[in-house]
Amino acid sequence: SKWPGRTAKITGLTGAVTKLIEHNGNDGTIKLLAYCDDGATATIYSWTPEGASASLGTVATGGEVSHAQFVGLTVIVGNKFVPQKYNGSTLGTLAGWPPVYSTQAVTEISEDDTAFTLGANPSLVETHVNRLWLSGDATNPYKVYYSGNFTPETWTNTGSIERGGWIDILKNDNKGKITAIVSWQNKLVVFKELAIYFIEGTGPRSVGALQPFSISQTILPVGTNSRHSIIRQGNDLLFFDNNNQWRSLLNTITNAE
């Protein structure tokens, strides 16, 4: 936290605190949020440095929660509820999600056009190349979705380079589901249970992006079972792989054991 040296007893919370979230506003203000789950209801609270809490709203219980900061919003996702946004004062549903997609251009990285059912509750979120990215949709465990440029509430895939869309990470590779997405060294690293992929580029290829999205894969057939196993170490990512070994992503890329 950026509230160093402070100790306060937080009052008024109901249920177990399973996620702490730090919100950094565009005006420099910092607020702390807590996701609390009592088994019947999950509540998202804010609190002051003095320990006073206030309920911002409720979501479905039992969610595996993740969050990201983007253009003044804290976006909170969980596999049991529709993505939420917090703007520093109020909590609400992330507008534009789930999107209604149009047929995707054949030049995009897609194994489906629009013949898929979009799951409403992604469990993974990241910011990368001025876009918000979501994944962990149990209905489509091989997809990552991206928002418009600097527009976290634009997801439809029609229009200019500013639009949103989706990328399919080898639907039939038998490498398991997507378990984590991490922005790293100008790449979006997509971890599956048994593989690691990289998305490079800044925009959709069918609308003339200067650096169209592309995907590549590491040589070693390793992945991770959980986003919680990944930590940043300098310019590297360390992760606990599917063989129960700690690995360096840099070494994995160079095929070094």
Side-chain angles (χ1 to χ4, degrees):
S1 169
K2 295 182 180 177
W3 290 354
R6 299 188 186 186
T7 301
K9 180 180 179 181
I10 311 302
T11 59
L13 304 181
T14 301
V17 178
T18 60
K19 179 70 174 179
L20 295 176
I21 299 167
E22 187 174 282
H23 169 82
N24 295 276
N26 285 340
D27 60 356
T29 59
I30 300 171
K31 295 190 176 181
L32 292 180
L33 312 180
Y35 173 90
C36 299
D37 194 334
D38 66 5
T41 303
T43 305
I44 298 175
Y45 293 91
S46 65
W47 75 80
T48 66
E50 292 73 33
S53 66
S55 171
L56 297 172
T58 60
V59 294
T61 187
E64 181 178 345
V65 181
S66 180
H67 75 284
Q69 301 271 330
F70 192 50
V71 293
L73 297 178
T74 294
V75 177
I76 305 168
V77 303
N79 59 329
K80 300 296 184 181
F81 56 86
V82 175
Q84 302 290 300
K85 63 179 179 182
Y86 177 69
N87 61 9
S89 57
T90 59
L91 182 76
T93 300
L94 184 70
W97 186 270
V100 177
Y101 284 126
S102 299
T103 300
Q104 185 126 292
V106 294
T107 54
E108 300 296 350
I109 307 169
S110 174
E111 298 176 51
D112 304 316
D113 43 28
T114 56
F116 68 92
T117 301
L118 181 63
N121 305 332
S123 60
L124 304 172
V125 61
E126 180 64 293
T127 57
H128 179 68
V129 293
N130 303 325
R131 299 174 188 268
L132 189 67
W133 296 73
L134 298 176
S135 190
D137 160 18
T139 308
N140 304 283
Y142 54 91
K143 289 185 180 292
V144 291
Y145 309 94
Y146 56 89
S147 75
N149 200 38
F150 286 110
T151 53
E153 297 185 280
T154 297
W155 294 92
T156 54
N157 63 326
T158 56
S160 69
I161 194 172
E162 310 301 321
R163 66 171 175 79
W166 76 86
I167 294 174
D168 290 336
I169 308 297
L170 275 67
K171 178 178 181 179
N172 298 311
D173 64 355
N174 296 316
K175 300 298 184 181
K177 65 182 180 180
I178 294 173
T179 57
I181 52 175
V182 182
S183 181
W184 176 76
Q185 295 195 7
N186 298 317
K187 303 175 179 66
L188 185 72
V189 186
V190 181
F191 289 86
K192 283 189 173 183
E193 293 168 299
L194 301 173
I196 302 172
Y197 297 88
F198 304 102
I199 297 175
E200 298 184 74
T202 58
R205 61 180 68 182
S206 62
V207 289
L210 293 178
Q211 298 177 10
F213 291 137
S214 63
I215 62 173
S216 59
Q217 182 181 358
T218 61
I219 296 173
L220 287 178
V222 296
T224 188
N225 292 320
S226 172
R227 63 182 175 85
H228 299 294
S229 81
I230 304 167
I231 59 174
R232 296 184 185 273
Q233 180 68 40
N235 66 344
D236 200 358
L237 292 179
L238 304 182
F239 64 97
F240 201 57
D241 73 10
N242 53 289
N243 297 312
N244 297 322
Q245 297 180 358
W246 277 108
R247 284 192 176 274
S248 152
L249 183 57
L250 286 174
N251 286 346
T252 301
I253 291 171
T254 59
N255 198 22
E257 292 292 344

